Amino acid sequence: EPEDWITQYGRRGLNFGGTNQWVQTGLVLGAETQFTVSWWSKGGTVTGDYLFDTTNGNVGFGVRGDAFGTWDIFAYTAGGLSRVPDWGTDTRDNVWRHYCCRYDNGTIDCFENGALDSSNSDGSGAMVSSSEQVPICADYNGANHWTAAVLDAMIWNVAISNSQIQQLSDPGNVM
């Protein structure tokens, strides 16, 4: 695990039913030039329901489900919005998958089961600082709850390496 570890809620699965079920991490990300979020998930989604979100206005970052059962991640940066819509395999098939998003100076790389799925570098520089705590399975207001099973949701204040992402995606390390 990287020395710049921020927080981890995991090593036990959380099953979110979608009605007022979420976790407040207590973590506030500032004007980060790098960060990584990683999680295992299985189960369905509803468009616009959040796994992580600090976007109160045009600040912070978010990861949410979209209309296709896939993911949408976005980060507001000093150089504009960096977003990767519609990435990953349809989550509605109820199969455990590992997902990881790495932000590095405006570039977002999205991984599924250790392999790069999508990337976008529309933004640049540091993420616009948010004063919101990072929730798991809700938006910054504690609404729009993600409905799924989640395991090992993790957040780092660094862009972890591809090999570290591949290690995290090994089911033998968590299941």
Side-chain angles (χ1 to χ4, degrees):
E1 296 169 352
E3 289 183 20
D4 293 315
W5 180 259
I6 293 178
T7 191
Q8 172 184 343
Y9 288 85
R11 300 294 180 236
R12 289 178 175 47
L14 301 172
N15 193 7
F16 295 93
T19 306
N20 297 324
Q21 295 177 335
W22 59 291
V23 174
Q24 186 60 273
T25 65
L27 172 69
V28 176
L29 293 177
E32 306 294 337
T33 57
Q34 296 183 329
F35 69 89
T36 305
V37 293
S38 170
W39 69 98
W40 285 85
S41 182
K42 77 171 184 174
T45 181
V46 177
T47 301
D49 288 350
Y50 285 85
L51 185 62
F52 302 101
D53 179 45
T54 66
T55 58
N56 185 0
N58 291 335
V59 300
F61 82 101
V63 177
R64 66 182 175 202
D66 66 19
F68 308 104
T70 55
W71 298 97
D72 180 12
I73 182 170
F74 48 95
Y76 292 96
T77 72
L81 178 66
S82 188
R83 179 175 178 219
V84 180
D86 305 329
W87 66 276
T89 303
D90 189 335
T91 61
R92 296 173 289 188
D93 63 1
N94 210 34
V95 172
W96 281 107
R97 290 188 181 84
H98 179 261
Y99 301 98
C100 187
C101 297
R102 178 177 60 203
Y103 177 81
D104 190 359
N105 286 302
T107 297
I108 298 175
D109 294 322
C110 300
F111 296 80
E112 180 179 334
N113 292 331
L116 182 65
D117 179 272
S118 299
S119 187
N120 184 316
S121 57
D122 288 344
S124 63
M127 178 178 68
V128 179
S129 184
S130 172
S131 61
E132 302 297 334
Q133 294 182 23
V134 179
I136 299 174
C137 291
D139 67 12
Y140 68 91
N141 270 331
N144 296 307
H145 302 100
W146 178 254
T147 304
V150 176
L151 182 65
D152 277 4
M154 300 181 223
I155 305 168
W156 293 266
N157 62 347
V158 296
I160 66 174
S161 70
N162 288 1
S163 63
Q164 289 169 315
I165 292 169
Q166 290 169 353
Q167 285 178 338
L168 292 169
S169 71
D170 181 349
N173 291 334
V174 293
M175 296 182 186

